DNA sequence: AGTCCACAGGAAGGGCAGGCGA
DNA sequence: TCGCCTGCCCTTCCTGTGGACT
């Protein structure tokens, strides 16, 4: 057994890889050239340029769907800005935080604590009053003249979770500082995000905004071509494969991230099969694999109660005898039976309703509040994942819960 | 027009774990 | 050790709601 593993690893090392730089297809890669985003890059640069004169740039809000290049663009502009600032000895600091990262920046306390940590202050994960954390941050920031650009990615998720008070507090930070100046750069997938804010918060923002439109299939093709040149050995990716990737991603609101993921996973599948080129069927397989992997990754680490609710949702169709719409009541009944089977104490319907909403936010299901007249108002639940993924998930949950 | 259903979802608060400072 | 603070998970209580039915 051990010997064959050794052989496998040796074979792997001796094999010629079809990748040259796989990182070029991942989210962490910041390309020097970002196709079809010149206008947005210039706008960002114009808005942030005053920082080079030690003037506080306007707060900036960037809107656009997933994979429209928001993050990569702002990171690119900021890194160029930092280069110039370094050359000219200008005190400029850029802090990037993703508000969706659980346990990092998903509450007001954690966000400010993380900002303070970025400024080199050690803040405990819990235990201090929030005011105190703000004070620690002020002290860390305000010891010299400095421009700080705070990029808050997926800010809509933070506001959804904690309310918009935090945004008001953030914009007021400048009035507490004497030397340093702070600008907030918010990135949101939700274009209606701003309209849901309290008017008081909206006026305190006083911001500029840039909207990133989705890429079309031709633009996605360009992006894939430029990245595949960096990522793969010459000749591995055919034009047909790129066109197919682009078409797949264009189908989903022009998501470049999805297109790059497809190409990367298809490459990995081809390499595993010892193919020297990526075939079109690898794209189909990659599409399936990405969906399953993403959902499995999402549910990893979820508590047993959430998994039981998800299992109830996954098995709705089997138990829906009248074959009517699947709704909250049905899920709750299934869930209670599952709890009995698994020896768990069941939660209240109120709480289960929140857990169902969480799965909706994760994108595993889609829910819609409907009224059935005198038969009540409820939430219609529809699965967003393929049958194969659903079956795989069910198996994982069964093993986890011993049911 | 009024009733009624089956919830949705907001608000308040309890209980717990965990960190910090006195 | 104790009191105080936090986040998190959860319950309880409550009001609101769209449309079929009477």
């Amino acid at each position: 057994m051990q010997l064959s593993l050794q052989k496998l690893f040796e074979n792997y090392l001796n094999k010629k890889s079809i990748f040259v730089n796989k990182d070029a297809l991942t989210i962490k890669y910041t390309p020097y050239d970002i196709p079809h985003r010149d206008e947005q890059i210039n706008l960002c640069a114009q808005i942030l340029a005053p920082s080079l004169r030690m003037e506080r740039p306007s707060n900036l809000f960037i809107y656009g769907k997933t994979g429209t290049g928001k993050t990569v663009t702002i990171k690119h502009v900021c890194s160029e800005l930092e280069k110039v600032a370094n050359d000219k000895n200008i005190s400029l600091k850029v802090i990037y935080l993703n508000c969706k990262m659980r346990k990092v920046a998903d509450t007001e306390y954690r966000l400010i604590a993380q900002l303070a940590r970025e400024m080199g202050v050690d803040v405990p994960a819990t235990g201090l009053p929030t005011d105190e954390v703000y004070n620690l941050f002020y002290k860390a920031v305000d010891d010299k003249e400095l421009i700080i650009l705070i990029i808050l990615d997926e800010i809509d998720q933070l506001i959804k979770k904690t309310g918009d008070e935090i945004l008001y507090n953030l914009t007021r930070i400048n009035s507490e500082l004497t030397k340093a100046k702070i600008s907030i750069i918010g990135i949101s997938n939700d274009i209606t995000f701003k309209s849901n804010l309290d008017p008081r918060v909206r006026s305190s923002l006083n911001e500029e905004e840039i909207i990133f439109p989705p890429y079309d299939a031709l633009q996605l093709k360009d992006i894939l071509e430029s990245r595949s040149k960096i990522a793969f050995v010459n000749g591995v990716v055919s034009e047909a494969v790129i066109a197919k990737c682009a078409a797949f991603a264009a189908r989903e609101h022009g998501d470049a991230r999805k297109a790059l993921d497809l190409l990367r996973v298809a490459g990995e599948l081809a390499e595993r099969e010892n193919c020297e080129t990526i075939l079109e069927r690898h794209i189909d397989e990659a599409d399936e694999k990405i969906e399953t992997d993403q959902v499995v990754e999402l549910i990893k680490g979820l508590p047993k109660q959430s998994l039981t609710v998800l299992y109830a949702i996954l098995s709705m169709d089997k138990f829906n005898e009248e074959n009517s719409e699947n709704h909250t009541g049905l899920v709750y009944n299934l869930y209670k039976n599952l709890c009995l089977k698994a020896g768990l104490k069941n939660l209240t319907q109120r709480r289960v309703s929140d857990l169902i909403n969480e799965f909706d936010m994760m994108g595993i299901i889609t829910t819609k509040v409907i009224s059935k007249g005198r038969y009540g108002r409820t939430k219609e639940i529809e699965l967003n994942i393929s049958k194969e993924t659903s079956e795989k998930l069910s198996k994982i949950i069964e093993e986890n819960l011993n049911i």
Side-chain angles (χ1 to χ4, degrees):
Chain A
M1 175 74 181
Q2 274 176 1
L3 202 72
S4 65
L5 263 183
Q6 209 170 13
K7 218 171 178 183
L8 188 145
F9 289 139
E10 266 174 30
N11 283 345
Y12 180 83
L13 281 175
N14 292 332
K15 202 166 62 181
K16 243 174 99 185
S17 173
I18 61 171
F19 288 104
V20 179
N21 179 6
K22 206 197 279 184
D23 281 350
L25 299 173
T26 61
I27 182 174
K28 60 183 178 191
Y29 182 79
T30 311
Y32 189 74
D33 180 35
I34 306 172
H36 305 290
R37 284 294 174 249
D38 294 345
E39 192 189 328
Q40 285 80 5
I41 290 173
N42 284 339
L43 260 173
C44 284
Q46 278 165 18
I47 292 165
L48 300 179
S51 55
L52 294 173
R53 288 196 192 131
M54 292 309 283
E55 291 165 13
R56 193 183 79 81
S58 302
N59 295 325
L60 169 62
F61 276 78
I62 297 177
Y63 304 97
K65 295 214 166 171
T66 320
T68 49
K70 305 181 297 291
T71 307
V72 79
T73 299
I74 195 70
K75 277 187 170 174
H76 171 72
V77 172
C78 284
S79 86
E80 292 299 307
L81 195 66
E82 274 182 309
K83 271 186 213 161
V84 177
N86 261 341
D87 286 350
K88 313 257 177 214
N89 269 332
I90 296 163
S91 306
L92 173 81
K93 185 167 174 71
V94 179
I95 302 174
Y96 172 88
L97 286 181
N98 189 327
C99 303
K100 212 178 171 181
M101 276 176 76
R102 290 182 85 175
K103 318 265 181 196
V104 178
D106 57 347
T107 65
E108 181 169 14
Y109 181 95
R110 285 176 181 159
L111 180 81
I112 306 301
Q114 191 58 33
L115 288 176
R117 279 184 212 114
E118 293 281 344
M119 296 305 297
V121 189
D122 196 25
V123 183
T126 168
L128 294 181
T130 311
D131 287 358
E132 185 59 32
V133 187
Y134 268 103
N135 285 335
L136 284 172
F137 178 61
Y138 295 150
K139 261 186 216 159
V141 163
D142 212 16
D143 69 334
K144 63 171 180 173
E145 290 211 2
L146 176 67
I147 297 278
I148 303 172
L149 304 177
I150 301 176
I151 306 172
L152 300 175
D153 206 347
E154 313 226 28
I155 193 168
D156 47 320
Q157 300 287 329
L158 175 72
I159 303 302
K160 214 181 262 175
K161 199 171 164 207
T162 65
D164 50 14
E165 191 69 13
I166 182 172
L167 215 49
Y168 184 67
N169 292 338
L170 276 174
T171 52
R172 281 183 44 211
I173 282 182
N174 280 302
S175 60
E176 304 282 338
L177 302 173
T178 51
K179 293 177 193 149
K181 291 170 188 155
I182 292 181
S183 283
I184 311 286
I185 301 170
I187 304 179
S188 164
N189 292 337
D190 178 8
I191 297 178
T192 62
F193 158 73
K194 205 182 79 177
S195 56
N196 299 329
L197 294 176
D198 188 297
R200 188 181 56 122
V201 178
R202 228 181 299 161
S203 73
S204 74
L205 282 174
N206 183 27
E207 86 281 33
E208 302 266 0
E209 59 181 58
I210 302 176
I211 293 174
F212 280 57
Y215 294 111
D216 61 31
L218 284 177
Q219 292 172 329
L220 286 170
K221 237 177 107 185
D222 279 349
I223 295 170
L224 286 170
E225 264 163 13
S226 79
R227 294 278 192 109
S228 66
K229 272 181 203 153
I230 310 169
F232 291 102
V233 172
N234 214 352
V236 167
V237 192
S238 68
E239 214 166 271
V241 163
I242 286 191
K244 186 161 184 173
C245 268
F248 263 54
R251 207 176 51 192
E252 287 185 33
H253 63 256
D255 185 344
R257 193 181 299 173
K258 163 103 188 196
L260 293 168
D261 273 349
L262 268 175
L263 197 56
R264 176 176 51 81
V265 175
E268 284 167 355
L269 290 172
E271 190 167 60
R272 222 168 285 167
E273 288 177 19
N274 292 324
C275 290
E276 282 174 5
T277 54
I278 300 174
L279 307 172
E280 284 186 51
R281 72 171 166 83
H282 289 134
I283 307 285
D284 295 310
E285 288 166 25
D287 192 39
E288 179 66 39
K289 187 175 183 309
I290 287 172
E291 183 193 89
T292 310
D293 287 356
Q294 273 174 347
V295 183
V296 169
E297 192 59 34
L298 272 176
I299 68 155
K300 227 191 243 173
L302 281 184
K304 281 191 174 178
Q305 292 287 4
S306 298
L307 290 179
T308 314
V309 173
L310 180 58
Y311 191 81
I313 294 172
L314 293 175
S315 45
M316 285 183 305
D317 283 330
K318 268 185 254 166
F319 292 91
N320 189 348
E321 282 151 14
E322 297 113 55
N323 236 353
S324 54
E325 301 93 10
N326 294 312
H327 55 90
T328 308
L330 175 68
V331 170
Y332 188 62
N333 283 335
L334 286 173
Y335 158 78
K336 277 198 293 189
N337 287 334
L338 283 169
C339 282
L340 269 177
K341 226 167 148 187
L344 287 169
K345 187 177 171 284
N346 64 288
L347 302 174
T348 56
Q349 182 155 329
R350 177 71 187 83
R351 178 65 187 143
V352 170
S353 170
D354 278 345
L355 293 178
I356 291 174
N357 285 344
E358 281 176 26
F359 289 122
D360 188 9
M361 274 180 70
M362 287 179 190
I364 298 176
I365 55 173
T366 305
T367 65
K368 195 170 101 195
V369 178
I370 53 157
S371 177
K372 295 194 285 181
R374 73 166 310 158
Y375 304 105
R377 223 164 87 95
T378 184
K379 208 172 234 179
E380 201 180 288
I381 300 165
E382 209 182 307
L383 267 180
N384 266 349
I385 51 178
S386 66
K387 211 173 155 201
E388 289 78 17
T389 307
S390 163
E391 279 165 11
K392 201 165 173 190
L393 274 188
S394 296
K395 265 193 200 128
I396 293 173
I397 300 175
E398 277 165 22
E399 275 165 27
N400 206 299
L401 297 174
N402 281 326
I403 47 176

